[in-house]
Amino acid sequence: MKLQKYHIDAFTNKLFGGNPACVIPLEEWLPNEIMLSITKENNLAETAFFVAHENDFQIRWFTPEVEMDLCGHATLATAHVIKKHLGYTGELIRFQSASGELQVSFEAGKYVLNFPFRMPKVAILPEIIKESLNIQPKEVYLARDYVLVYNSEAEIKALRPDKNKLEQIDLGHGGIVCTALGDEADFVSRFFTPGASIFEDPVTGSAHCSLVPFWSNRLKKKDLLAHQLSDRHGVLFCTNKKDRVLLRGNAVTYSVGEIILQQCERD
């Protein structure tokens, strides 16, 4: 069996920027263990698999460790593959996922992701996370992810979490997003995932399901510019729709290739 594989850099307009994801179109679902093995072999934070179904697409996301409930950059990467490589001519792509229906439209050369709204609530930081941080946050919130609010962009850049300590905690699908007001953007962030192969995620669309409503409420702004301050850097143009979040970004293709599955059986 041969499968097409697309390696896409998402939330960037420059190669080697943003967050890389692999995208693999399927005619029907493979066994979970095969999709997980492919993801491990790809050795990126996420691989998205999708199946065309009537007028929609079913999508699933895997890290090298687990299947995820939501992934922003790999959804953007998948929309890029469908639009740019597979000749999709529609104005709207609908994905059916574990997080419900997700929509991607096209606006002024950017992909627009219509994602769930996850306002974080005040929380208490687990002691193990507190001990792992070289700079303590001034506020702590929780949605799917812990949202740690800091005083400045400089503090976000200076964070050096202790990876070994954080591996002692299991946050399920969640992670730790650290955020502050930005110097050149409305807000900035960094995202850490205890126990994952990629400890610091380069650009995390799903975390902005919480960051956008949080900063929109605090800044009294509907439209926000966000920078994720990883080494690869990511830029997201965000809109708070009150019950949904819009994330706009670009994507570029790094490579197109084939996966050859030998001696692998389907269910």
Side-chain angles (χ1 to χ4, degrees), residues 61 70-73 75-76 101-104 113-117 205-206 209 243-247:
W61 312 273
L70 183 65
C71 179
H73 82 279
T75 303
L76 192 158
E101 181 173 291
L102 309 173
Q103 297 180 355
V104 181
L113 281 64
N114 187 320
F115 264 36
F117 180 102
S206 59
C209 295
D243 60 349
R244 301 287 290 180
V245 170
L246 301 184
L247 307 175

PDB file of all heavy atoms in Angstrom, residues 61 70-73 75-76 101-104 113-117 205-206 209 243-247:
ATOM      1  N   TRP A  61      -5.993  13.535  14.473  1.00  0.00           N
ATOM      2  CA  TRP A  61      -4.640  14.025  14.698  1.00  0.00           C
ATOM      3  C   TRP A  61      -3.928  13.114  15.695  1.00  0.00           C
ATOM      4  O   TRP A  61      -4.486  12.748  16.725  1.00  0.00           O
ATOM      5  CB  TRP A  61      -4.645  15.435  15.287  1.00  0.00           C
ATOM      6  CG  TRP A  61      -5.546  16.417  14.597  1.00  0.00           C
ATOM      7  CD1 TRP A  61      -5.263  17.207  13.513  1.00  0.00           C
ATOM      8  CD2 TRP A  61      -6.888  16.758  14.980  1.00  0.00           C
ATOM      9  NE1 TRP A  61      -6.326  18.004  13.200  1.00  0.00           N
ATOM     10  CE2 TRP A  61      -7.343  17.765  14.083  1.00  0.00           C
ATOM     11  CE3 TRP A  61      -7.745  16.329  15.995  1.00  0.00           C
ATOM     12  CZ2 TRP A  61      -8.613  18.326  14.168  1.00  0.00           C
ATOM     13  CZ3 TRP A  61      -9.009  16.876  16.078  1.00  0.00           C
ATOM     14  CH2 TRP A  61      -9.428  17.866  15.174  1.00  0.00           C
ATOM     15  N   LEU A  70      -7.869  17.806  19.425  1.00  0.00           N
ATOM     16  CA  LEU A  70      -7.901  19.015  18.604  1.00  0.00           C
ATOM     17  C   LEU A  70      -6.476  19.445  18.314  1.00  0.00           C
ATOM     18  O   LEU A  70      -5.615  19.404  19.192  1.00  0.00           O
ATOM     19  CB  LEU A  70      -8.627  20.149  19.343  1.00  0.00           C
ATOM     20  CG  LEU A  70      -8.808  21.465  18.575  1.00  0.00           C
ATOM     21  CD1 LEU A  70      -9.714  21.280  17.364  1.00  0.00           C
ATOM     22  CD2 LEU A  70      -9.378  22.548  19.494  1.00  0.00           C
ATOM     23  N   CYS A  71      -6.236  19.870  17.069  1.00  0.00           N
ATOM     24  CA  CYS A  71      -4.923  20.396  16.701  1.00  0.00           C
ATOM     25  C   CYS A  71      -5.110  21.467  15.639  1.00  0.00           C
ATOM     26  O   CYS A  71      -5.650  21.190  14.559  1.00  0.00           O
ATOM     27  CB  CYS A  71      -4.007  19.285  16.184  1.00  0.00           C
ATOM     28  SG  CYS A  71      -2.381  19.904  15.696  1.00  0.00           S
ATOM     29  N   GLY A  72      -4.665  22.679  15.954  1.00  0.00           N
ATOM     30  CA  GLY A  72      -4.865  23.792  15.039  1.00  0.00           C
ATOM     31  C   GLY A  72      -3.939  23.782  13.850  1.00  0.00           C
ATOM     32  O   GLY A  72      -4.372  23.854  12.687  1.00  0.00           O
ATOM     33  N   HIS A  73      -2.624  23.660  14.086  1.00  0.00           N
ATOM     34  CA  HIS A  73      -1.695  23.805  12.965  1.00  0.00           C
ATOM     35  C   HIS A  73      -1.822  22.658  11.978  1.00  0.00           C
ATOM     36  O   HIS A  73      -1.677  22.851  10.765  1.00  0.00           O
ATOM     37  CB  HIS A  73      -0.257  23.958  13.477  1.00  0.00           C
ATOM     38  CG  HIS A  73       0.443  22.683  13.823  1.00  0.00           C
ATOM     39  ND1 HIS A  73       0.263  22.025  15.013  1.00  0.00           N
ATOM     40  CD2 HIS A  73       1.342  21.952  13.116  1.00  0.00           C
ATOM     41  CE1 HIS A  73       1.027  20.951  15.036  1.00  0.00           C
ATOM     42  NE2 HIS A  73       1.692  20.876  13.900  1.00  0.00           N
ATOM     43  N   THR A  75      -4.589  21.081  11.321  1.00  0.00           N
ATOM     44  CA  THR A  75      -5.825  21.332  10.566  1.00  0.00           C
ATOM     45  C   THR A  75      -5.568  22.344   9.464  1.00  0.00           C
ATOM     46  O   THR A  75      -6.019  22.176   8.322  1.00  0.00           O
ATOM     47  CB  THR A  75      -6.932  21.840  11.508  1.00  0.00           C
ATOM     48  OG1 THR A  75      -7.144  20.883  12.542  1.00  0.00           O
ATOM     49  CG2 THR A  75      -8.236  22.064  10.749  1.00  0.00           C
ATOM     50  N   LEU A  76      -4.831  23.403   9.798  1.00  0.00           N
ATOM     51  CA  LEU A  76      -4.466  24.380   8.774  1.00  0.00           C
ATOM     52  C   LEU A  76      -3.653  23.709   7.675  1.00  0.00           C
ATOM     53  O   LEU A  76      -3.881  23.937   6.475  1.00  0.00           O
ATOM     54  CB  LEU A  76      -3.680  25.526   9.411  1.00  0.00           C
ATOM     55  CG  LEU A  76      -3.449  26.784   8.568  1.00  0.00           C
ATOM     56  CD1 LEU A  76      -3.154  27.977   9.475  1.00  0.00           C
ATOM     57  CD2 LEU A  76      -2.311  26.618   7.587  1.00  0.00           C
ATOM     58  N   GLU A 101     -17.620  19.906  14.539  1.00  0.00           N
ATOM     59  CA  GLU A 101     -17.327  20.413  13.205  1.00  0.00           C
ATOM     60  C   GLU A 101     -16.362  21.586  13.277  1.00  0.00           C
ATOM     61  O   GLU A 101     -16.550  22.521  14.052  1.00  0.00           O
ATOM     62  CB  GLU A 101     -18.610  20.850  12.491  1.00  0.00           C
ATOM     63  CG  GLU A 101     -18.342  21.358  11.072  1.00  0.00           C
ATOM     64  CD  GLU A 101     -19.609  21.637  10.281  1.00  0.00           C
ATOM     65  OE1 GLU A 101     -20.308  20.664   9.942  1.00  0.00           O
ATOM     66  OE2 GLU A 101     -19.881  22.815  10.008  1.00  0.00           O
ATOM     67  N   LEU A 102     -15.343  21.535  12.461  1.00  0.00           N
ATOM     68  CA  LEU A 102     -14.380  22.616  12.306  1.00  0.00           C
ATOM     69  C   LEU A 102     -14.451  23.101  10.865  1.00  0.00           C
ATOM     70  O   LEU A 102     -14.564  22.292   9.947  1.00  0.00           O
ATOM     71  CB  LEU A 102     -12.965  22.141  12.611  1.00  0.00           C
ATOM     72  CG  LEU A 102     -12.763  21.395  13.932  1.00  0.00           C
ATOM     73  CD1 LEU A 102     -11.349  20.847  14.021  1.00  0.00           C
ATOM     74  CD2 LEU A 102     -13.053  22.304  15.124  1.00  0.00           C
ATOM     75  N   GLN A 103     -14.386  24.393  10.673  1.00  0.00           N
ATOM     76  CA  GLN A 103     -14.474  24.948   9.328  1.00  0.00           C
ATOM     77  C   GLN A 103     -13.219  25.732   9.001  1.00  0.00           C
ATOM     78  O   GLN A 103     -12.643  26.404   9.860  1.00  0.00           O
ATOM     79  CB  GLN A 103     -15.695  25.859   9.208  1.00  0.00           C
ATOM     80  CG  GLN A 103     -17.025  25.147   9.410  1.00  0.00           C
ATOM     81  CD  GLN A 103     -18.208  26.084   9.272  1.00  0.00           C
ATOM     82  OE1 GLN A 103     -18.048  27.291   9.113  1.00  0.00           O
ATOM     83  NE2 GLN A 103     -19.414  25.536   9.350  1.00  0.00           N
ATOM     84  N   VAL A 104     -12.808  25.640   7.739  1.00  0.00           N
ATOM     85  CA  VAL A 104     -11.698  26.442   7.239  1.00  0.00           C
ATOM     86  C   VAL A 104     -12.164  27.142   5.971  1.00  0.00           C
ATOM     87  O   VAL A 104     -12.608  26.494   5.025  1.00  0.00           O
ATOM     88  CB  VAL A 104     -10.454  25.590   6.947  1.00  0.00           C
ATOM     89  CG1 VAL A 104      -9.306  26.492   6.453  1.00  0.00           C
ATOM     90  CG2 VAL A 104     -10.019  24.813   8.178  1.00  0.00           C
ATOM     91  N   LEU A 113      -9.420  29.469  10.277  1.00  0.00           N
ATOM     92  CA  LEU A 113      -9.911  28.329  11.050  1.00  0.00           C
ATOM     93  C   LEU A 113     -11.012  28.804  11.999  1.00  0.00           C
ATOM     94  O   LEU A 113     -10.821  29.757  12.752  1.00  0.00           O
ATOM     95  CB  LEU A 113      -8.782  27.697  11.861  1.00  0.00           C
ATOM     96  CG  LEU A 113      -7.807  26.765  11.144  1.00  0.00           C
ATOM     97  CD1 LEU A 113      -7.011  27.490  10.078  1.00  0.00           C
ATOM     98  CD2 LEU A 113      -6.860  26.117  12.154  1.00  0.00           C
ATOM     99  N   ASN A 114     -12.149  28.130  11.960  1.00  0.00           N
ATOM    100  CA  ASN A 114     -13.269  28.401  12.858  1.00  0.00           C
ATOM    101  C   ASN A 114     -13.256  27.304  13.928  1.00  0.00           C
ATOM    102  O   ASN A 114     -13.624  26.159  13.664  1.00  0.00           O
ATOM    103  CB  ASN A 114     -14.576  28.406  12.072  1.00  0.00           C
ATOM    104  CG  ASN A 114     -15.752  28.840  12.907  1.00  0.00           C
ATOM    105  OD1 ASN A 114     -15.870  28.472  14.064  1.00  0.00           O
ATOM    106  ND2 ASN A 114     -16.647  29.625  12.329  1.00  0.00           N
ATOM    107  N   PHE A 115     -12.832  27.677  15.141  1.00  0.00           N
ATOM    108  CA  PHE A 115     -12.533  26.692  16.174  1.00  0.00           C
ATOM    109  C   PHE A 115     -13.377  26.913  17.430  1.00  0.00           C
ATOM    110  O   PHE A 115     -13.992  27.963  17.606  1.00  0.00           O
ATOM    111  CB  PHE A 115     -11.037  26.777  16.529  1.00  0.00           C
ATOM    112  CG  PHE A 115     -10.184  25.778  15.793  1.00  0.00           C
ATOM    113  CD1 PHE A 115     -10.457  25.411  14.485  1.00  0.00           C
ATOM    114  CD2 PHE A 115      -9.092  25.206  16.411  1.00  0.00           C
ATOM    115  CE1 PHE A 115      -9.678  24.488  13.819  1.00  0.00           C
ATOM    116  CE2 PHE A 115      -8.301  24.280  15.762  1.00  0.00           C
ATOM    117  CZ  PHE A 115      -8.594  23.913  14.460  1.00  0.00           C
ATOM    118  N   PRO A 116     -13.378  25.924  18.340  1.00  0.00           N
ATOM    119  CA  PRO A 116     -14.159  26.058  19.582  1.00  0.00           C
ATOM    120  C   PRO A 116     -13.645  27.197  20.468  1.00  0.00           C
ATOM    121  O   PRO A 116     -12.494  27.611  20.396  1.00  0.00           O
ATOM    122  CB  PRO A 116     -13.952  24.705  20.278  1.00  0.00           C
ATOM    123  CG  PRO A 116     -13.484  23.780  19.222  1.00  0.00           C
ATOM    124  CD  PRO A 116     -12.744  24.604  18.233  1.00  0.00           C
ATOM    125  N   PHE A 117     -14.521  27.672  21.324  1.00  0.00           N
ATOM    126  CA  PHE A 117     -14.263  28.753  22.283  1.00  0.00           C
ATOM    127  C   PHE A 117     -14.053  28.113  23.649  1.00  0.00           C
ATOM    128  O   PHE A 117     -14.939  27.420  24.150  1.00  0.00           O
ATOM    129  CB  PHE A 117     -15.487  29.681  22.270  1.00  0.00           C
ATOM    130  CG  PHE A 117     -15.432  30.867  23.188  1.00  0.00           C
ATOM    131  CD1 PHE A 117     -15.136  32.122  22.690  1.00  0.00           C
ATOM    132  CD2 PHE A 117     -15.713  30.744  24.546  1.00  0.00           C
ATOM    133  CE1 PHE A 117     -15.124  33.237  23.525  1.00  0.00           C
ATOM    134  CE2 PHE A 117     -15.697  31.846  25.387  1.00  0.00           C
ATOM    135  CZ  PHE A 117     -15.399  33.102  24.867  1.00  0.00           C
ATOM    136  N   GLY A 205      -2.263  26.185  17.626  1.00  0.00           N
ATOM    137  CA  GLY A 205      -3.565  26.774  17.316  1.00  0.00           C
ATOM    138  C   GLY A 205      -4.600  26.484  18.376  1.00  0.00           C
ATOM    139  O   GLY A 205      -5.366  27.373  18.775  1.00  0.00           O
ATOM    140  N   SER A 206      -4.640  25.245  18.878  1.00  0.00           N
ATOM    141  CA  SER A 206      -5.677  24.866  19.839  1.00  0.00           C
ATOM    142  C   SER A 206      -5.573  25.661  21.137  1.00  0.00           C
ATOM    143  O   SER A 206      -6.581  25.945  21.776  1.00  0.00           O
ATOM    144  CB  SER A 206      -5.607  23.363  20.125  1.00  0.00           C
ATOM    145  OG  SER A 206      -4.338  23.008  20.645  1.00  0.00           O
ATOM    146  N   CYS A 209      -7.629  28.787  21.379  1.00  0.00           N
ATOM    147  CA  CYS A 209      -9.055  28.698  21.698  1.00  0.00           C
ATOM    148  C   CYS A 209      -9.324  29.262  23.087  1.00  0.00           C
ATOM    149  O   CYS A 209     -10.449  29.681  23.387  1.00  0.00           O
ATOM    150  CB  CYS A 209      -9.528  27.246  21.618  1.00  0.00           C
ATOM    151  SG  CYS A 209      -9.459  26.532  19.970  1.00  0.00           S
ATOM    152  N   ASP A 243     -18.708  32.891  20.714  1.00  0.00           N
ATOM    153  CA  ASP A 243     -18.883  31.471  20.968  1.00  0.00           C
ATOM    154  C   ASP A 243     -17.970  30.614  20.108  1.00  0.00           C
ATOM    155  O   ASP A 243     -17.963  29.392  20.206  1.00  0.00           O
ATOM    156  CB  ASP A 243     -20.338  31.047  20.746  1.00  0.00           C
ATOM    157  CG  ASP A 243     -20.809  31.319  19.323  1.00  0.00           C
ATOM    158  OD1 ASP A 243     -20.102  32.021  18.574  1.00  0.00           O
ATOM    159  OD2 ASP A 243     -21.881  30.822  18.954  1.00  0.00           O
ATOM    160  N   ARG A 244     -17.169  31.243  19.267  1.00  0.00           N
ATOM    161  CA  ARG A 244     -16.176  30.569  18.431  1.00  0.00           C
ATOM    162  C   ARG A 244     -14.942  31.464  18.334  1.00  0.00           C
ATOM    163  O   ARG A 244     -14.977  32.648  18.662  1.00  0.00           O
ATOM    164  CB  ARG A 244     -16.708  30.291  17.014  1.00  0.00           C
ATOM    165  CG  ARG A 244     -17.950  29.431  16.955  1.00  0.00           C
ATOM    166  CD  ARG A 244     -17.686  27.984  17.270  1.00  0.00           C
ATOM    167  NE  ARG A 244     -16.937  27.301  16.238  1.00  0.00           N
ATOM    168  CZ  ARG A 244     -16.589  26.016  16.310  1.00  0.00           C
ATOM    169  NH1 ARG A 244     -16.908  25.297  17.379  1.00  0.00           N
ATOM    170  NH2 ARG A 244     -15.910  25.446  15.340  1.00  0.00           N
ATOM    171  N   VAL A 245     -13.851  30.874  17.885  1.00  0.00           N
ATOM    172  CA  VAL A 245     -12.594  31.601  17.707  1.00  0.00           C
ATOM    173  C   VAL A 245     -12.155  31.450  16.256  1.00  0.00           C
ATOM    174  O   VAL A 245     -12.159  30.337  15.718  1.00  0.00           O
ATOM    175  CB  VAL A 245     -11.510  31.039  18.654  1.00  0.00           C
ATOM    176  CG1 VAL A 245     -10.141  31.606  18.317  1.00  0.00           C
ATOM    177  CG2 VAL A 245     -11.868  31.324  20.097  1.00  0.00           C
ATOM    178  N   LEU A 246     -11.792  32.555  15.610  1.00  0.00           N
ATOM    179  CA  LEU A 246     -11.243  32.514  14.258  1.00  0.00           C
ATOM    180  C   LEU A 246      -9.735  32.717  14.329  1.00  0.00           C
ATOM    181  O   LEU A 246      -9.250  33.664  14.958  1.00  0.00           O
ATOM    182  CB  LEU A 246     -11.860  33.598  13.369  1.00  0.00           C
ATOM    183  CG  LEU A 246     -13.379  33.566  13.182  1.00  0.00           C
ATOM    184  CD1 LEU A 246     -13.801  34.649  12.185  1.00  0.00           C
ATOM    185  CD2 LEU A 246     -13.863  32.199  12.717  1.00  0.00           C
ATOM    186  N   LEU A 247      -9.000  31.816  13.680  1.00  0.00           N
ATOM    187  CA  LEU A 247      -7.545  31.889  13.630  1.00  0.00           C
ATOM    188  C   LEU A 247      -7.119  31.937  12.172  1.00  0.00           C
ATOM    189  O   LEU A 247      -7.405  31.012  11.401  1.00  0.00           O
ATOM    190  CB  LEU A 247      -6.913  30.668  14.311  1.00  0.00           C
ATOM    191  CG  LEU A 247      -7.367  30.355  15.743  1.00  0.00           C
ATOM    192  CD1 LEU A 247      -6.746  29.050  16.217  1.00  0.00           C
ATOM    193  CD2 LEU A 247      -7.015  31.493  16.681  1.00  0.00           C
TER     194      LEU A 247
END
